[in-house]
Amino acid sequence: QSALTQPASVSGSPGQSITISCAGTSSDVGRYDFVSWYQQHPGKAPKLVISDVSNRPSGVSNRFSGSKSGNTASLTISGLQPEDEADYYCCSYTTSDTQAFGGGTRLTV
Amino acid sequence: EVQLVESGGGLVKPGDSLRLPCVVSGLIFRDAWMSWVRQAPGGGLEWIGRINSKGGGGTADYAAPVKGRFIISRDDSQNTVILQMSSLKSEDTGIYYCTWMGTTTRIDSWGQGTLVTVSS
């Protein structure tokens, strides 16, 4: 069982927006602004798309954005494109000085 | 460009040990915080542990499922981080990724992964 809870799947049509939630606790997501999101295409290594809740690394499309409210973080992808179809994982720093991943969400475009 | 190359994966029996080295280039390795993440077949990502830079204390922290069985170490002279696994179980089967943490709380780069299969 993953430490953070994500929906198993979400879907959207090209051009639409979707949001993936990541529910944690007051010991991880709710305690720190250290939530990151990773995109993983089949057979590939994951790639960082959002760090520290809402920071977008250089080279990542501005269609990706992140936010947090209480113990829940969210990743929003706007203007969906076919290449956005992938698995997405949230990850948070915890009070145990460890990292915890969510179970992952499969995005279908 | 940061590159991480893992090796050492393979098929082992339950109870066996395995050593996974990861050679890193493209950054000042001695200052780097490194971690390992694994992914079971068809499953999600699981954080295994992290080793700090020598300047950060050089200590390692581990996830509960591997604590006491896995050890992460580093050889700064060889730009290498090592995952030493012992008392392997079938549930340790998966792809093991070596990662670079650009800050203490996020993973900036990933290796291509090495597959470990634990089966009798």
Side-chain angles (χ1 to χ4, degrees):
Chain A
Q1 185 175 355
S2 301
L4 308 181
T5 301
Q6 299 179 233
S9 62
V10 298
S11 63
S13 300
Q16 288 186 331
S17 295
I18 62 95
T19 296
I20 300 171
S21 62
C22 171
T25 70
S26 58
S27 296
D28 38 65
V29 175
R31 180 72 172 263
Y32 307 102
D33 286 337
F34 295 141
V35 177
S36 49
W37 289 88
Y38 302 88
Q39 175 193 62
Q40 185 180 34
H41 288 108
K44 301 293 188 182
K47 170 191 170 186
L48 178 69
V49 292
I50 292 288
S51 68
D52 299 335
V53 174
S54 59
N55 291 338
R56 201 171 45 249
S58 173
V60 174
S61 171
N62 59 10
R63 299 184 296 105
F64 289 81
S65 62
S67 63
K68 191 186 87 167
S69 177
N71 295 338
T72 300
S74 298
L75 172 70
T76 297
I77 308 174
S78 59
L80 275 176
Q81 298 182 2
E83 58 264 32
D84 298 331
E85 186 162 292
D87 293 327
Y88 291 85
Y89 296 88
C90 63
C91 183
S92 177
Y93 182 68
T94 80
T95 53
S96 301
D97 195 21
T98 60
Q99 301 284 116
F101 280 97
T105 299
R106 175 147 300 175
L107 169 62
T108 302
V109 180
Chain B
E1 180 192 1
V2 177
Q3 290 194 321
L4 307 98
V5 180
E6 308 95 336
S7 59
L11 173 63
V12 295
K13 292 181 169 49
D16 282 355
S17 298
L18 197 61
R19 179 178 180 272
L20 304 183
C22 170
V23 179
V24 182
S25 60
L27 52 75
I28 301 175
F29 183 76
R30 65 176 182 273
D31 295 335
W33 291 46
M34 306 297 298
S35 67
W36 288 88
V37 176
R38 69 183 178 185
Q39 186 168 33
L45 302 175
E46 181 184 17
W47 186 84
I48 294 174
R50 178 197 68 233
I51 186 164
N52 304 342
S53 64
K54 290 284 196 317
T59 57
D61 290 284
Y62 303 92
V66 305
K67 201 167 188 177
R69 298 189 299 124
F70 289 13
I71 296 174
I72 301 174
S73 62
R74 62 190 299 150
D75 183 347
D76 290 350
S77 68
Q78 299 291 321
N79 282 16
T80 299
V81 60
I82 299 152
L83 178 63
Q84 179 69 48
M85 305 184 290
S86 60
S87 303
L88 283 163
K89 308 173 183 180
S90 58
E91 52 262 43
D92 294 318
T93 293
I95 297 173
Y96 283 70
Y97 293 101
C98 170
T99 75
W100 168 53
M101 303 185 74
T103 69
T104 60
T105 56
R106 73 166 191 258
I107 294 172
D108 281 61
S109 295
W110 300 66
Q112 84 286 352
T114 188
L115 177 63
V116 173
T117 303
V118 184
S119 174
S120 55

